[in-house]
Amino acid sequence: MMFPWESYHDGPNALPFTVDVTRPSKPRARSKHCHSTTFESSPCSECVIVHKHISRLVEIARDPKAHTNYKYLGLAHMQDIAKMYAAQVKELKLQGCNDSRKYMSSLAQLDDYNRLLMAISENDVPRLQQVIKIALDNGASVREVVNKLEDAIEGVYRPRGYGSSDVDIATLVYRLGGRQLLYALNHKLGIPSIRTLRARSTFTNITPTLGPIRNEQLDENIHSIVLSTRTGIIPLRGVSFMIDEMALEEMAVHFGKYNMIGGLCWKHSNVVDPVLRTYDSAVRIAHKIHNQEVHLGKEVTVIGVACFGEDELYPVLAAPTCKTEDAADMEGILARAIERWSATGADTHVGPVWSFATDGDATRRAAGHRLFIKHPLSADSPLFAILSDMPGLNTLTGDNEITLDFDFKHIFKRICTLIRSPAGITLNNGRIINAMMLSRYLLWLPAHDEASITKLLHPDDPQDVPRAIELMQAIITFSQLQHNSIDSSFSTNIDIRADLAAIKLLGDLIESILLPFINPNLSLAHQVQYLSRYAHLSFAIFRTHRRAFMPYQLYYDTHTMTKNIVFCIRKQQVLDPREKFFIGDSGDDRLELHFGRTRMIGGHNSGCSYSQVLDRLGAAKDIDSVFKRHPELDPGHRRLKMGTRHENVDHINREMWRGDIVSGRCDLPSAWQTGRDMALSILTRSQIDPINYSFTTLFSDPTIDMLRPFGMNKYLGISLDDAEDVSTTLPPPAPQILEPSSLPLPDLDIGFTHEDTDEPDEPMLTFEEALTAQSDSDLPLPQSIAVLSDPSAPPIPEGPGIRPDDYLLFKGRWIHKQTICRLVINKDFVSKSCNRLERVRAGYTKVNRRIDMSAGRITDGNLFLVGDIFVTIIRSGRTVSIGVLRSTLITLNNVSRSSINITVMKATRTTTKITGQLLTIIPTNPSLDSPSKPSQFLWTGGYVKSRSVIQGTSDATERVVIISVPGSLIEPINPEPTFIRLRDDINSNDFTEIKGGQSTWQVPQDALQAACDLLWEKSLETKVNLKSLASVTPSDIKSFPYRLPDGTPAILSSEGTSLLIASEGERISECPLCSAKATDMRAHAGLHILRALTNTPEEIALVEPVGVPSPCGFCARSGRPECAITIAFHGNAAPTLATKCLYQHYFRYAFADHGSKNKPCRNIPLKCELCHPVLPPEPGRTSRRAAVGAVEAVWRYDMPEHILKEHAEYSVPGYKSIGVPLPASVLKAISLSDLEQTAARIPQERRLFTCDLESLEKENNVGSSSKSTGKRRTIQSAASLPSKRARTSMKPLQMTTTLV
């Protein structure tokens, strides 16, 4: 049965032997190639190997392989295989039946899933996640889930149970959108309702400040907002207090919970009773507001608390303010807040107070200085060992080692405001860099064009933090790309190289203060190094230029911020050195973010009442808590982002900081020293005097540190005299308070048409009429009748949600107290603008209104640019000299410009003002071959400086002289470049201020002298008063006026200097003709004129003869435009004279017209009645009022000459006998008295026309004629005689000048 008979055949793969089974008990095998014919003999060689084949078949039969070919198997094996296949068939049939049932079940489940998908896709299922989650938790099938969804769609099923995320989302909805939005979404989306929210969460409620600030208010807020929310085991943190204000609508509100009036300023509210007991109580409050005894809050002062290492802020005080607090008031608030923090135990549960942060408010700065910079750091303090090893660091603190802090983002904005200002920032040895110059250089950056640079330098909103940081980064990038231009010693672009060197220093400065806050790759040690570098750089530059470099307040704030960061790092090392310290936690940025949340509530409407502010501050706290748990929901704040303007990137925070900021790994003294070395490497390449960065020597004086750069315990920027911005804020109009019975109300209907304007105004409603006009349905209906003391009074309002204390009885009606506030106290309420820019600029000029960037292309050859060199005439001592200046500011009609057309600038009547820095130039040494050759004047790279006293001290520093002159008094020049090392006529040691440079520019002396003479003539033509010329008093008298090598002044206006010497800086008292001193120059000059008119010789030879024709009555000279004089009459008042004569002075006109023994001269300016006749009187009147107007005047001594020249048809006694007789008034004008001619020593035979004035007037009145020779018989009215108009202009002098 086991033999494989299938292989027993003669075909292929057949067995190699045959089997003989004739004897079944002894079967025999024989090879098919056997050589024997019988089985009895021994096997042949072929039959021997048959045994191997049989053994192989035996092995196969005993243990066949699973895949053995059937032909090698026997019948028994085949039977076993058949049985196996039969059993397998049965199993497969059973499995097929089971699979069939399974497939039917799966198809049913697929149908259920399809129903689920269709239900989800076609219907908005409320709380879908909760429905499915609850069903699956209960073991429901898909079909049951679908049924639940269908029930939920139909509204018959609402799942119960909310997670923490649901409550957080509902909180956001309620706090951002209000109760109505939460109600709608609760019914539509199934989020928790307001009832669930109140049961599952606690809303932040801030205790209002009703009246003065008291301890109870702070204690309640600290307990409810801070301590109650910080449960569990939380490590102690350093705490920073922050204070700032936000806008508030000036209106009173009633707080029903406290039954008091809120919204009154905390400082003065102690003079009123905030409880409205009767209607008269509201009237009394209104009267006190009207009398300015108490005020409605303009803003609300908010104090917040934040922990270092955390983002959450806790508001602990919100008090209305009238902005009249002084430093003492603010000091009391800050001290009280810190004291209550300790009294409530918060310092032991939360952490000790490390700092008090604010912005740049002057009042808070002064208060913070008094509180937090008063005690030297104790030697027993754990901070002393480290901080005392940091030279220059101010170590004075307040109680408990609390330090003052300022917000770094406000500092960034103020630095950019300084750079953008027209005055700019002074760097190096006096180089000014402002927005107009930066706009020219920043265009070199490939990433910026003219439009983007304009937005950076002249933004619509200067408070835009990203824009400020973008400007600072642009300056840093530009400064880092200009090494080649700065290092080029032989560059002929001298002014550009000087500008680039100053911008390079500016870039290093702002990089030092910016990178620690925006570069997340910096470690804490590197951040301290950069801050130390800034501190030492600004210290050295500030000692050099003081306020010209940076306002005192900004300098104080930046160094106080740096000091606070260093102190807080050391405090963190003492508290827990393993904790990280993020310097972004300094400042009041978290309070600003909280304000941003507050303004976001209510559609960014910043106008809200005091009660709304409290509610929104609490809502912002709740929103911040939700965003803290779900940071992916926080959109961030676009205007407070740093480093990018992309909306999807939030402001830099501690989570994204990649540098090592573990406090214990920062070696403060080492980092401070490294920053100092970095600053020294920068300063040694600058043009700063080394004495100002000799830090070792300076800081060896214990009275000098970063906050006291000049020692003597003088902190700059604290006193009110150092105010950065002085603005006058007018108080709001006080409301008009009337009697209670007739208190008017504003008409709420402001719509009208033009036709309505002719109708009389309707009277204002009284309080009683306003109440009557209101709907009675607004008042709550009484639910029960209470027992009243007044039987005629209606019942007190009662019911759910109604507090009887909220109502007052007024003439038989219960009125809500909020209505009383609105109609009595707030009747003159006017809402503030919701636009922040309009709100902060109310009454001020817009940012870009005073800037004009579209002044033309700089390639225009007829343009004068900011930074160009020009000359003008300047007074210095008793000399009038030329000054060479570099322009820093151009204004036209008070609008700053980057350039201006030269023709427009130099026009006579231009309003252009050019501001510039006075440059130091020195002459070349005279040549031995040509000693008379004019010298060249070379710029030394420096500036003329004057002495500037440090306020509050006896010390002084030097500041660069900056002057402003009219555009008509300047001449642009184009100096010629020259190389210092290639000249042998100069001393190269005089050019040390050109740091590393080998080139400068030069101007010829004769060109400067020609320009000086030309500008002096211009000043005379434009009638510029000598006293109005810019005056300079240099600290080094050798620096200006410019001098020759022998020390004599080089370029002077001889005439201007003579006049200045004569005037001694005041009224000129030296006669220009005889050099005699005269107290009354008019009377003295009149004597010279009379002698000249009569050919009477002078007793003393004159230096200059009397001018001809028509000499001036003040200086006796003629032909000078400045001596032109006009006269204007104003009724019976004394006439008004106007002249630019340098010798003019005041005199009494009527007194001088009559003369006296002491001052007999009657030479005064007169109006020629022939040129300007008096019209006859109107019918029925005795006179006619003449129009007031200035006309050209003629001096009395010049009147005969004027008549002969301008009115030749008239005869003039003593000069011309033929002609029309002169009117009596004109004869009176030209007539001289014997007294004045005697005083001039005029001989009788030479005396001029004299007549009896009284007889002349009498004869003229009666119409009689005189028979005397030389006198007219009749005097006709000037109105009936022909006349000529006087000339209104004079022929200009012909002068030859040379332009530079």
Side-chain angles (χ1 to χ4, degrees):
M1 295 296 291
M2 305 298 292
F3 188 80
W5 295 105
E6 287 291 330
S7 300
Y8 192 75
H9 56 80
D10 293 333
N13 298 324
L15 294 174
F17 59 89
T18 60
V19 178
D20 183 9
V21 294
T22 57
R23 295 175 63 185
S25 59
K26 289 185 178 182
R28 291 179 291 184
R30 184 178 182 176
S31 173
K32 292 182 178 181
H33 303 286
C34 180
H35 302 290
S36 177
T37 58
T38 64
F39 287 102
E40 287 77 9
S41 60
S42 58
C44 64
S45 59
E46 293 293 335
C47 292
V48 170
I49 62 177
V50 172
H51 174 73
K52 296 179 179 180
H53 293 287
I54 295 174
S55 298
R56 178 173 170 269
L57 293 176
V58 171
E59 292 177 0
I60 293 175
R62 288 177 180 173
D63 186 17
K65 301 296 183 181
H67 302 288
T68 304
N69 200 319
Y70 291 159
K71 63 183 179 180
Y72 296 110
L73 299 178
L75 294 177
H77 290 101
M78 296 297 290
Q79 290 175 356
D80 293 339
I81 292 175
K83 292 178 182 180
M84 182 186 65
Y85 282 150
Q88 190 174 6
V89 168
K90 292 178 181 180
E91 291 177 0
L92 291 176
K93 286 180 179 181
L94 181 60
Q95 184 179 355
C97 293
N98 293 335
D99 290 342
S100 178
R101 295 181 62 186
K102 186 185 296 184
Y103 295 153
M104 294 299 294
S105 177
S106 298
L107 290 175
Q109 290 183 356
L110 287 177
D111 291 339
D112 292 339
Y113 282 115
N114 288 330
R115 289 178 58 201
L116 176 62
L117 292 177
M118 294 297 292
I120 295 175
S121 62
E122 294 180 357
N123 300 277
D124 189 4
V125 184
R127 301 196 66 214
L128 175 63
Q129 179 184 0
Q130 285 76 12
V131 172
I132 297 176
K133 182 179 183 301
I134 293 174
L136 294 179
D137 290 343
N138 294 331
S141 64
V142 177
R143 182 169 298 178
E144 291 177 347
V145 172
V146 174
N147 294 335
K148 290 293 185 182
L149 291 178
E150 292 175 350
D151 294 341
I153 293 171
E154 295 176 0
V156 297
Y157 171 71
R158 299 185 67 181
R160 300 295 179 183
Y162 294 97
S164 59
S165 297
D166 299 325
V167 176
D168 287 342
I169 294 298
T171 301
L172 284 179
V173 171
Y174 174 66
R175 283 310 201 177
L176 291 174
R179 183 192 300 266
Q180 293 184 354
L181 180 61
L182 179 62
Y183 175 84
L185 296 183
N186 169 254
H187 284 74
K188 183 64 177 177
L189 302 180
I191 65 175
S193 64
I194 182 64
R195 181 176 299 178
T196 305
L197 274 183
R198 289 173 175 170
R200 296 282 301 272
S201 61
T202 302
F203 296 134
T204 301
N205 294 314
I206 301 176
T207 303
T209 301
L210 305 176
I213 298 176
R214 296 185 175 89
N215 295 340
E216 298 80 20
Q217 301 156 0
L218 287 164
D219 294 349
E220 177 63 26
N221 287 327
I222 292 174
H223 279 291
S224 62
I225 300 176
V226 183
L227 298 180
S228 63
T229 60
R230 296 180 66 88
T231 57
I233 301 176
I234 301 177
L236 291 180
R237 300 275 192 180
V239 173
S240 174
F241 272 68
M242 307 170 189
I243 184 171
D244 205 347
E245 286 102 10
M246 63 180 302
L248 182 68
E249 293 286 9
E250 298 180 37
M251 59 186 301
V253 293
H254 180 258
F255 287 88
K257 179 180 178 180
Y258 305 94
N259 193 25
M260 292 184 180
I261 295 297
L264 304 178
C265 68
W266 67 267
K267 181 176 181 180
H268 305 101
S269 57
N270 59 333
V271 301
V272 299
D273 182 6
V275 180
L276 291 184
R277 308 181 189 280
T278 62
Y279 171 75
D280 293 337
S281 301
V283 175
R284 283 193 296 270
I285 294 175
H287 273 290
K288 289 186 179 294
I289 293 175
H290 173 73
N291 296 330
Q292 298 293 310
E293 296 180 39
V294 69
H295 312 89
L296 294 170
K298 300 176 183 293
E299 294 181 350
V300 57
T301 300
V302 180
I303 294 181
V305 177
C307 296
F308 285 91
E310 299 179 5
D311 292 328
E312 200 163 1
L313 180 121
Y314 307 92
V316 296
L317 179 68
T321 173
C322 58
K323 302 295 290 182
T324 60
E325 300 93 345
D326 55 16
D329 297 326
M330 194 59 61
E331 184 179 354
I333 296 177
L334 305 184
R336 185 190 294 268
I338 296 174
E339 188 270 331
R340 299 320 301 170
W341 181 261
S342 301
T344 55
D347 57 338
T348 59
H349 290 84
V350 181
V353 180
W354 284 357
S355 64
F356 212 121
T358 180
D359 54 10
D361 182 78
T363 303
R364 291 194 291 270
R365 179 187 300 109
H369 179 80
R370 296 179 185 178
L371 276 178
F372 308 121
I373 304 182
K374 59 181 181 178
H375 300 310
L377 193 62
S378 172
D380 299 331
S381 170
L383 312 181
F384 183 82
I386 297 296
L387 301 183
S388 62
D389 195 22
M390 302 172 68
L393 181 68
N394 182 280
T395 56
L396 272 71
T397 66
D399 297 335
N400 300 320
E401 298 176 346
I402 301 176
T403 53
L404 181 62
D405 189 18
F406 291 93
D407 183 59
F408 59 91
K409 290 185 181 178
H410 280 84
I411 288 176
F412 294 164
K413 292 185 292 186
R414 292 164 63 190
I415 289 176
C416 289
T417 300
L418 172 63
I419 295 173
R420 293 164 177 158
S421 65
I425 181 171
T426 304
L427 300 161
N428 275 336
N429 62 335
R431 197 75 173 181
I432 289 180
I433 298 297
N434 56 24
M436 296 301 179
M437 299 173 190
L438 287 175
S439 63
R440 190 183 311 166
Y441 291 112
L442 293 183
L443 284 175
W444 296 5
L445 293 174
H448 292 279
D449 55 13
E450 187 172 352
S452 64
I453 294 301
T454 301
K455 290 181 180 179
L456 290 180
L457 294 173
H458 310 290
D460 292 331
D461 184 8
Q463 303 301 317
D464 192 344
V465 175
R467 191 81 72 189
I469 294 177
E470 190 176 355
L471 172 60
M472 298 172 77
Q473 289 177 324
I475 296 175
I476 294 171
T477 303
F478 176 81
S479 64
Q480 293 173 347
L481 299 176
Q482 305 306 319
H483 291 290
N484 294 335
S485 301
I486 298 174
D487 296 338
S488 180
S489 301
F490 290 93
S491 172
T492 56
N493 297 322
I494 296 96
D495 289 298
I496 292 180
R497 184 177 179 274
D499 286 341
L500 295 181
I503 295 176
K504 179 64 172 65
L505 181 59
L506 176 62
D508 293 334
L509 181 73
I510 61 179
E511 180 187 38
S512 304
I513 195 172
L514 178 64
L515 286 191
F517 295 95
I518 70 169
N519 187 352
N521 298 316
L522 294 180
S523 65
L524 189 59
H526 286 101
Q527 290 174 313
V528 176
Q529 290 175 13
Y530 274 106
L531 292 175
S532 173
R533 189 176 89 169
Y534 170 80
H536 288 86
L537 283 175
S538 57
F539 174 85
I541 304 175
F542 186 81
R543 278 184 57 89
T544 304
H545 301 297
R546 286 173 45 206
R547 200 193 301 266
F549 161 64
M550 182 178 289
Y552 292 162
Q553 294 81 3
L554 182 56
Y555 178 84
Y556 179 89
D557 294 353
T558 56
H559 282 270
T560 301
M561 176 199 70
T562 302
K563 167 189 171 181
N564 175 73
I565 291 175
V566 172
F567 265 77
C568 290
I569 293 175
R570 179 55 189 157
K571 291 175 183 177
Q572 184 63 61
Q573 292 175 345
V574 173
L575 182 64
D576 187 356
R578 297 167 298 180
E579 282 289 332
K580 296 181 179 180
F581 183 85
F582 178 57
I583 68 172
D585 289 337
S586 62
D588 66 346
D589 185 49
R590 284 168 287 184
L591 184 58
E592 293 285 353
L593 294 176
H594 199 82
F595 285 172
R597 305 269 190 225
T598 305
R599 298 185 186 99
M600 179 177 62
I601 302 170
H604 294 273
N605 183 6
S606 59
C608 50
S609 65
Y610 179 52
S611 61
Q612 290 174 325
V613 166
L614 295 178
D615 182 68
R616 294 183 183 184
L617 285 171
K621 173 65 174 64
D622 295 336
I623 293 172
D624 281 339
S625 299
V626 174
F627 284 154
K628 180 182 178 181
R629 293 187 293 268
H630 303 278
E632 71 280 0
L633 301 178
D634 188 3
H637 303 269
R638 180 176 64 86
R639 292 188 182 275
L640 296 179
K641 292 175 185 176
M642 298 171 54
T644 178
R645 297 194 67 86
H646 298 300
E647 300 298 331
N648 59 342
V649 179
D650 197 4
H651 60 283
I652 294 177
N653 51 52
R654 68 179 60 82
E655 284 74 20
M656 63 185 299
W657 204 270
R658 296 183 293 270
D660 183 8
I661 56 175
V662 176
S663 61
R665 300 172 188 165
C666 176
D667 186 351
L668 286 174
S670 176
W672 186 263
Q673 180 62 40
T674 303
R676 172 177 168 176
D677 296 339
M678 295 165 62
L680 284 173
S681 65
I682 296 172
L683 292 170
T684 52
R685 298 193 301 268
S686 70
Q687 296 166 309
I688 301 294
D689 191 343
I691 195 175
N692 291 314
Y693 55 85
S694 301
F695 299 124
T696 303
T697 303
L698 291 172
F699 294 145
S700 62
D701 184 352
T703 64
I704 295 180
D705 54 40
M706 295 297 180
L707 284 176
R708 298 173 293 181
F710 300 103
M712 297 175 291
N713 200 34
K714 175 64 177 177
Y715 291 89
L716 302 176
I718 301 303
S719 64
L720 296 179
D721 296 334
D722 297 335
E724 197 168 349
D725 295 314
V726 180
S727 60
T728 303
T729 303
L730 297 178
Q736 183 181 5
I737 307 300
L738 302 181
E739 294 302 324
S741 60
S742 61
L743 192 64
L745 296 173
D747 190 359
L748 298 181
D749 185 8
I750 61 174
F752 63 91
T753 60
H754 292 287
E755 289 78 4
D756 297 332
T757 57
D758 296 333
E759 298 180 1
D761 296 335
E762 296 184 0
M764 298 178 65
L765 298 177
T766 64
F767 176 71
E768 186 175 0
E769 292 170 343
L771 291 178
T772 304
Q774 292 187 5
S775 173
D776 293 336
S777 61
D778 295 339
L779 299 177
L781 297 177
Q783 304 296 324
S784 62
I785 299 177
V787 179
L788 303 175
S789 59
D790 186 0
S792 62
I796 298 176
E798 295 180 354
I802 296 176
R803 285 190 294 261
D805 289 340
D806 291 346
Y807 294 87
L808 286 179
L809 184 63
F810 177 78
K811 293 189 177 181
R813 295 182 60 187
W814 290 103
I815 311 299
H816 199 282
K817 292 181 179 179
Q818 183 58 43
T819 304
I820 301 290
C821 290
R822 178 170 60 85
L823 298 179
V824 179
I825 302 176
N826 303 329
K827 76 179 189 63
D828 291 325
F829 168 73
V830 177
S831 179
K832 295 180 180 179
S833 173
C834 296
N835 188 332
R836 186 183 66 84
L837 295 181
E838 292 181 1
R839 198 166 60 251
V840 300
R841 295 174 186 166
Y844 298 93
T845 304
K846 294 182 68 174
V847 175
N848 289 336
R849 188 175 179 180
R850 294 300 180 188
I851 298 173
D852 182 9
M853 297 298 296
S854 58
R857 297 184 177 274
I858 62 175
T859 55
D860 187 352
N862 200 36
L863 283 183
F864 182 79
L865 309 176
V866 172
D868 284 354
I869 308 299
F870 68 95
V871 294
T872 188
I873 50 175
I874 302 173
R875 287 190 299 134
S876 180
R878 306 181 74 180
T879 63
V880 176
S881 177
I882 196 76
V884 182
L885 298 95
R886 169 182 176 262
S887 63
T888 59
L889 178 64
I890 302 173
T891 60
L892 178 62
N893 298 325
N894 294 326
V895 177
S896 300
R897 302 169 63 94
S898 59
S899 59
I900 189 173
N901 184 279
I902 294 180
T903 304
V904 174
M905 176 185 67
K906 297 172 64 175
T908 304
R909 299 183 179 272
T910 183
T911 59
T912 304
K913 292 286 186 181
I914 309 297
T915 302
Q917 299 172 281
L918 188 59
L919 305 178
T920 301
I921 57 176
I922 60 175
T924 56
N925 298 320
S927 174
L928 298 177
D929 298 334
S930 303
S932 61
K933 181 180 179 181
S935 300
Q936 296 281 342
F937 278 82
L938 282 69
W939 181 43
T940 64
Y943 304 86
V944 177
K945 296 181 174 66
S946 61
R947 188 174 182 270
S948 177
V949 178
I950 302 174
Q951 194 169 10
T953 69
S954 58
D955 291 350
T957 60
E958 290 187 337
R959 61 178 179 86
V960 176
V961 174
I962 300 176
I963 62 174
S964 296
V965 293
S968 58
L969 284 184
I970 77 164
E971 282 291 337
I973 63 174
N974 186 19
E976 178 186 0
T978 184
F979 296 104
I980 300 173
R981 298 296 181 184
L982 302 180
R983 303 182 67 109
D984 56 0
D985 54 354
I986 60 174
N987 184 0
S988 60
N989 294 329
D990 295 332
F991 299 86
T992 55
E993 293 192 71
I994 305 179
K995 201 75 173 184
Q998 301 299 327
S999 58
T1000 184
W1001 48 257
Q1002 61 182 3
V1003 183
Q1005 178 185 356
D1006 53 356
L1008 292 176
Q1009 185 62 56
C1012 182
D1013 297 337
L1014 173 63
L1015 291 172
W1016 174 252
E1017 295 298 334
K1018 279 188 177 181
S1019 69
L1020 296 179
E1021 293 176 8
T1022 55
K1023 303 178 182 180
V1024 176
N1025 196 321
L1026 181 63
K1027 302 175 185 177
S1028 65
L1029 294 179
S1031 178
V1032 173
T1033 305
S1035 55
D1036 182 6
I1037 60 174
K1038 297 181 180 180
S1039 62
F1040 191 83
Y1042 303 132
R1043 300 178 183 273
L1044 295 173
D1046 58 2
T1048 59
I1051 306 147
L1052 298 177
S1053 171
S1054 56
E1055 184 176 2
T1057 301
S1058 300
L1059 291 177
L1060 191 61
I1061 294 174
S1063 66
E1064 297 180 351
E1066 300 294 336
R1067 197 179 87 187
I1068 299 178
S1069 58
E1070 182 176 328
C1071 177
L1073 305 185
C1074 66
S1075 300
K1077 295 290 183 180
T1079 58
D1080 189 332
M1081 190 60 66
R1082 179 194 62 84
H1084 180 82
L1087 300 178
H1088 290 303
I1089 295 174
L1090 279 180
R1091 295 189 188 110
L1093 290 175
T1094 59
N1095 293 323
T1096 301
E1098 295 279 354
E1099 295 180 357
I1100 301 176
L1102 299 181
V1103 178
E1104 179 182 345
V1106 175
V1108 176
S1110 302
C1112 171
F1114 287 119
C1115 64
R1117 297 183 294 185
S1118 65
R1120 296 177 178 270
E1122 69 271 19
C1123 292
I1125 189 169
T1126 59
I1127 188 171
F1129 291 89
H1130 308 273
N1132 295 328
T1136 302
L1137 306 177
T1139 181
K1140 296 293 185 179
C1141 181
L1142 299 177
Y1143 294 83
Q1144 65 171 305
H1145 60 86
Y1146 171 78
F1147 63 92
R1148 297 178 62 183
Y1149 189 86
F1151 184 82
D1153 189 17
H1154 290 84
S1156 65
K1157 290 184 179 181
N1158 294 330
K1159 295 182 179 180
C1161 178
R1162 297 173 57 245
N1163 189 24
I1164 60 173
L1166 301 171
K1167 181 182 75 171
C1168 176
E1169 295 188 4
L1170 300 178
C1171 297
H1172 308 284
V1174 178
L1175 298 178
E1178 298 178 357
R1181 296 180 180 272
T1182 59
S1183 63
R1184 178 189 294 267
R1185 175 174 294 182
V1188 177
V1191 298
E1192 185 177 355
V1194 181
W1195 290 91
R1196 169 168 278 147
Y1197 292 173
D1198 299 338
M1199 185 63 76
E1201 183 181 356
H1202 168 75
I1203 297 174
L1204 292 174
K1205 183 177 181 180
E1206 301 294 335
H1207 310 282
E1209 67 276 15
Y1210 290 95
S1211 63
V1212 180
Y1215 295 91
K1216 179 182 177 184
S1217 59
I1218 300 175
V1220 180
L1222 289 172
S1225 59
V1226 179
L1227 287 174
K1228 179 181 177 182
I1230 66 175
S1231 177
L1232 303 181
S1233 66
D1234 290 334
L1235 184 61
E1236 58 187 319
Q1237 297 192 69
T1238 300
R1241 303 184 185 89
I1242 307 298
Q1244 288 290 339
E1245 64 275 8
R1246 296 186 180 183
R1247 294 197 175 186
L1248 300 177
F1249 171 69
T1250 303
C1251 67
D1252 187 354
L1253 299 180
E1254 295 182 358
S1255 301
L1256 183 63
E1257 292 178 357
K1258 182 177 180 181
E1259 181 180 346
N1260 184 48
N1261 292 334
V1262 299
S1264 61
S1265 60
S1266 175
K1267 298 180 181 180
S1268 60
T1269 306
K1271 295 185 179 181
R1272 303 300 177 188
R1273 293 182 175 271
T1274 60
I1275 301 178
Q1276 303 180 23
S1277 172
S1280 63
L1281 299 176
S1283 63
K1284 295 183 180 180
R1285 294 187 60 84
R1287 293 182 301 171
T1288 58
S1289 62
M1290 300 183 67
K1291 185 177 181 181
L1293 297 177
Q1294 302 297 325
M1295 300 181 180
T1296 302
T1297 56
T1298 303
L1299 294 178
V1300 182

